[in-house]
Amino acid sequence: MKPLYDLGVLPVRYRTGKGFKPHISLTFKTEKNRTFAVDTTNLRNSTDAYLITHAHSDHHGKSAMLCENSVCSEETARALEILYGKKFAGSTFRIGDAIDISGVHVKTYPTHHTIGSTAFFWENEVGTRILVTGDVKDAKDLPKCDLLVTEANYGDYDDPACHFQDDIGAFREAVKEHDDIALGAYSFGKAQRAVHLLRESGYSGKIGMDPTSLSLTEGLMENAGQLCGLDDDCGIRIAALAKLSGIKATKKYLLTCRRDHKVPTISISDHMDVNGLIGMVEQCAPQAVIVYHPSGHRPVKLAAYINKMGVYARALEQINNCIEM
Ligand SMILES: [Zn+2]
């Protein structure tokens, strides 16, 4: 942990009788000691701020959105409100804005993973530039930093499933006829990406969506065009995987880079593959990396790879600073 000590950042995990609380808290000094929790549930302690990178359920905005000191983009707050039917209690910003969080000057950057997904960037009193990314689809807007706190959804270099590229050509080919096609896509993230790709490829007809995907798309997208329910008359339908089998359609495709499904897939992901993750580390040029998401072995694998690149890296499960609650 010496590099992190030198950088003036103490990563902390909280543990209850039931196990670890998600994900990580970072304690650092500016004028005062500050602790920012990242993508966690309500810790009911003196945490100064809850940073919510985006509204996917495994980043725990459902719980953190009820804390007054939670912080996320306007779009993430709206997505959380649509998903959970509760009022967002914290403060919001426009992505790209610099904001004051508990007396700390924080810059925000888009990560292009979902609508509203944000990276947070700030400096502590010894000048360490800290960047917390959440999930990332495209790192092009991210700045250089000294400590990178990031994801490893596809972080295992030795796993062929972690090497992929979006196949926009296959998507365009599949939707070319656009009569009676059903696309399987997660309600938040992938469904809006599918609408964007459909409009970009020139389809201007109605798009049918399941209720959750529809309210998220209507609530978050400006140029979504005409949308309707799954039962309405339309040529293309987008539905969550669980609802796809119940839809009658001539052709069905699942939008995913995973290869463990029976339905034909089109390679479209909300994430970077492992080469993208490595490229992000090179671009941001940190002195240290903490890989904090998801669960499973991939963060350890990515941390090992980054260590071999000559950069100090630890996965969340290798961080031993625990506070019992
Ligand atoms: Zn996500």
Side-chain angles (χ1 to χ4, degrees):
M1 300 297 279
K2 176 87 169 41
L4 296 175
Y5 181 85
D6 291 346
L7 291 169
V9 181
L10 181 68
V12 179
R13 304 173 75 194
Y14 289 92
R15 187 161 57 192
T16 68
K18 291 182 194 158
F20 286 106
K21 287 271 200 177
H23 270 93
I24 191 166
S25 291
L26 302 171
T27 296
F28 56 94
K29 207 168 173 195
T30 49
E31 275 165 17
K32 293 178 182 163
N33 272 327
R34 289 279 174 251
T35 299
F36 287 177
V38 178
D39 290 337
T40 190
T41 52
N42 187 350
L43 298 169
R44 300 179 205 287
N45 64 8
S46 58
T47 289
D48 294 295
Y50 291 90
L51 310 183
I52 308 173
T53 60
H54 66 290
H56 274 150
S57 58
D58 53 352
H59 293 258
H60 306 285
K62 182 183 181 180
S63 166
M65 71 182 285
L66 305 175
C67 303
E68 280 179 13
N69 50 353
S70 63
V71 189
C72 68
S73 69
E74 289 171 354
E75 294 91 339
T76 294
R78 206 177 312 140
L80 290 169
E81 289 185 341
I82 293 168
L83 282 165
Y84 302 117
K86 291 175 184 161
K87 184 118 191 61
F88 179 76
S91 48
T92 61
F93 55 85
R94 286 184 185 197
I95 299 175
D97 282 358
I99 45 171
D100 181 292
I101 302 180
S102 202
V104 183
H105 185 75
V106 178
K107 291 183 182 172
T108 62
Y109 297 89
T111 62
H112 307 281
H113 166 67
T114 63
I115 292 176
S117 62
T118 311
F120 297 88
F121 175 94
W122 69 95
E123 269 184 45
N124 68 6
E125 69 166 5
V126 294
T128 297
R129 300 163 299 172
I130 302 159
L131 178 67
V132 173
T133 68
D135 292 344
V136 185
K137 171 64 178 172
D138 191 334
K140 66 178 185 215
D141 295 314
L142 299 180
K144 288 204 175 349
C145 64
D146 301 300
L147 172 62
L148 176 66
V149 182
T150 194
E151 58 120 334
N153 276 277
Y154 294 94
D156 182 357
Y157 194 85
D158 300 323
D159 182 348
C162 291
H163 294 257
F164 55 79
Q165 281 184 327
D166 281 352
D167 196 347
I168 306 292
F171 181 87
R172 293 222 169 113
E173 190 59 34
V175 302
K176 205 168 55 183
E177 315 255 316
H178 55 72
D179 52 347
D180 209 19
I181 292 167
L183 303 172
Y186 295 120
S187 303
F188 180 52
K190 201 69 71 72
Q192 291 76 44
R193 193 177 297 280
V195 170
H196 175 78
L197 287 170
L198 281 168
R199 295 313 184 203
E200 204 182 50
S201 50
Y203 176 66
S204 56
K206 273 196 212 172
I207 300 172
M209 303 185 92
D210 68 73
T212 309
S213 307
L214 183 61
S215 29
L216 285 163
T217 308
E218 284 178 338
L220 294 164
M221 272 184 86
E222 272 174 16
N223 303 313
Q226 268 196 305
L227 306 173
C228 60
L230 287 175
D231 297 332
D232 290 12
D233 185 26
C234 57
I236 296 186
R237 292 176 171 79
I238 299 173
L241 181 56
K243 301 212 168 114
L244 194 62
S245 56
I247 296 177
K248 285 202 184 84
T250 323
K251 286 183 188 159
K252 289 184 189 178
Y253 302 95
L254 203 56
L255 304 183
T256 182
C257 288
R258 294 176 54 153
R259 290 150 200 174
D260 48 357
H261 291 286
K262 283 184 188 152
V263 187
T265 59
I266 300 173
S267 189
I268 299 282
S269 180
D270 287 333
H271 290 273
M272 300 190 290
D273 77 345
V274 67
N275 297 300
L277 292 166
I278 293 162
M280 171 175 66
V281 173
E282 286 167 347
Q283 179 193 316
C284 296
Q287 297 175 47
V289 179
I290 296 173
V291 188
Y292 82 103
H293 180 76
S295 54
H297 69 282
R298 284 180 176 169
V300 176
K301 290 276 195 169
L302 184 63
Y305 192 98
I306 296 168
N307 279 309
K308 269 200 260 168
M309 290 164 68
V311 178
Y312 176 92
R314 291 290 180 273
L316 191 57
E317 68 173 68
Q318 298 166 318
I319 286 173
N320 302 317
N321 300 326
C322 294
I323 295 182
E324 304 289 338
M325 303 185 79

